[in-house]
Amino acid sequence: MAEQPTRRRAWDLPRDLTPEQRRSRRTWIEHYLVELDRRYRSLDEGAPADYIPALALADPSLFGVAVLGQQGQHLRCGDADVEFTIQSISKVVLYGLALETWGRDVVHERAGVEPSGDRFNAITFDDDDNRAFNPMVNAGALAITDLLEGDTVDERLQAMLDAFERYLGHPVEVDQTVYRSELETAHRNRAITHLLVSRGIVSDRVEEIVELYTMQCSIVVTATDLATIAATLANAGVNPVTGEQALAAWAVRDVLSVMLTCGMYDYSGEWVYRVGLPAKSGVGGGVLAVLPGIGGLGVYSPPLDKFGTSVRGVKVCEDLAEELGMHLFEPSPPWTREP
Ligand code: GLU
């Protein structure tokens, strides 16, 4: 029989902690965030996205990590309060909103729940069911954005902003520089939307869909905000700080399932294997991961890997899953073991 793989253990808690502190999850995570900062701040891999010109200007040295626990306690490290644009992570919020507003059947007619195995902006569709593969790739997200309710662009934008505010507990805004930069170069998303129209999946308001989608991607957040969205999802849709129900619990289950299987694009299988947490990345450099029963994690660091995901963001999640035992199928997290 093959031997059990030995656990990587590149760090430990300080020796002078009491047994009680050593058993506290908060102590572990607090010390761990500092350790991650030490480990990855100087990492020099990847590059900020440049297909959206305004994103190429991001400072590659920025690195922030935030955790929000289910009791509403924040832990932060580094550049956790630096602002950036949410990009694809917005798909999580819009998918939940569409489910809650229209129900599963209407939403799933537009976007299924199968990983596409393709890049986030691939021009591919689920031909058998005439829909996008899932709501986390651009084709699916554009189809979901078209479900925003309202008679005018302003009303539909407001419905979107209100949904974000319910998760975050504060108003949000669209970064106009990133929005304009992305809209001017959004030829591929426009092409995908035209194909969605030709297939009868979305309404024929092509420019409006692309505008609203680009606005949702240009919403300004911080790593702390991402941790708040993730913690809200970990808490059955209730923001742990404000107590507001941002999303109905049944829809949370759907959103988390799709995040787990499709949230990291064509790295999703590897992600479930290595990290085992529902997560979503964005080309602005943000990553959020839901820590069921614990809270939410948000990471910001602009340099991206070939999948369009933050390099430091992936490292943080991989280490956290491995060393703190956060993987969904982890049999024994460290704080449950005897010190
Ligand atoms: N706004 C980006 C796009 O549509 C989002 C992609 C991403 O963050 O993965 O290309």
Side-chain angles (χ1 to χ4, degrees):
M1 200 200 279
E3 267 185 33
Q4 185 184 333
T6 40
R7 235 198 151 71
R8 194 149 42 87
R9 187 66 180 272
W11 73 294
D12 209 346
L13 292 175
R15 288 175 184 280
D16 53 357
L17 297 178
T18 63
E20 196 186 325
Q21 282 172 320
R22 299 183 82 86
R23 271 194 297 270
S24 138
R25 226 154 45 184
R26 187 185 167 95
T27 311
W28 279 82
I29 295 173
E30 215 163 30
H31 285 271
Y32 197 58
L33 295 190
V34 177
E35 164 65 18
L36 290 171
D37 191 76
R38 186 198 62 72
R39 216 178 267 179
Y40 294 123
R41 186 159 281 279
S42 57
L43 183 72
D44 185 22
E45 281 173 29
D50 58 4
Y51 75 100
I52 300 171
L55 295 186
L57 305 173
D59 174 356
S61 70
L62 290 171
F63 180 34
V65 187
V67 171
L68 176 60
Q70 265 173 329
Q71 273 75 45
Q73 68 282 36
H74 275 289
L75 300 171
R76 298 185 186 85
C77 195
D79 304 308
D81 290 316
V82 170
E83 294 183 334
F84 58 97
T85 53
I86 190 165
Q87 298 299 331
S88 268
I89 301 170
S90 63
K91 294 168 181 171
V92 167
V93 174
L94 272 282
Y95 179 48
L97 178 63
L99 283 170
E100 210 173 43
T101 311
W102 298 95
R104 278 185 186 141
D105 292 347
V106 171
V107 173
H108 290 169
E109 249 175 52
R110 293 179 172 228
V113 293
E114 271 323 310
S116 67
D118 281 319
R119 307 309 294 255
F120 64 89
N121 56 3
I123 303 190
T124 50
F125 300 90
D126 172 356
D127 288 322
D128 290 340
D129 292 306
N130 189 40
R131 60 186 177 182
F133 278 103
N134 66 69
M136 301 291 132
V137 290
N138 287 11
L142 287 156
I144 298 298
T145 298
D146 186 43
L147 287 173
L148 276 169
E149 279 193 308
D151 293 330
T152 62
V153 181
D154 284 348
E155 277 180 27
R156 300 174 83 200
L157 171 63
Q158 198 54 52
M160 175 205 297
L161 298 177
D162 289 348
F164 278 91
E165 184 168 346
R166 284 194 291 277
Y167 279 89
L168 293 177
H170 63 75
V172 293
E173 56 183 46
V174 172
D175 181 317
Q176 291 299 325
T177 307
V178 173
Y179 169 64
R180 275 195 290 271
S181 173
E182 181 165 355
L183 193 65
E184 276 165 20
T185 53
H187 309 299
R188 204 175 169 94
N189 286 336
R190 233 172 243 116
I192 293 172
T193 310
H194 276 292
L195 289 171
L196 288 166
V197 176
S198 78
R199 286 170 167 264
I201 300 173
V202 297
S203 71
D204 63 1
R205 300 171 286 189
V206 172
E207 206 47 38
E208 191 168 322
I209 295 171
V210 175
E211 278 174 24
L212 284 165
Y213 170 79
T214 309
M215 285 179 204
Q216 80 183 51
C217 290
S218 306
I219 285 176
V220 177
V221 288
T222 63
T224 303
D225 287 334
L226 296 185
T228 308
I229 296 174
T232 301
L233 291 169
N235 196 32
V238 177
N239 176 315
V241 179
T242 64
E244 185 168 4
Q245 184 88 44
L247 183 65
W250 68 266
V252 171
R253 198 194 77 167
D254 289 15
V255 171
L256 291 182
S257 306
V258 173
M259 285 169 70
L260 184 65
T261 51
C262 310
M264 305 304 272
Y265 304 126
D266 39 338
Y267 189 65
S268 290
E270 189 88 16
W271 180 267
V272 177
Y273 183 77
R274 286 174 184 271
V275 180
L277 294 170
K280 187 74 202 80
S281 64
V283 294
V287 178
L288 68 73
V290 177
L291 315 172
I294 294 176
L297 169 78
V299 185
Y300 171 52
S301 172
L304 309 180
D305 62 18
K306 64 176 179 177
F307 300 105
T309 298
S310 166
V311 175
R312 291 191 189 99
V314 171
K315 295 270 186 217
V316 164
C317 293
E318 284 182 353
D319 287 10
L320 193 107
E322 174 67 22
E323 295 175 356
L324 288 196
M326 294 278 179
H327 193 293
L328 278 181
F329 307 125
E330 171 63 42
S332 73
W335 51 81
T336 62
R337 297 177 213 139
E338 278 310 302

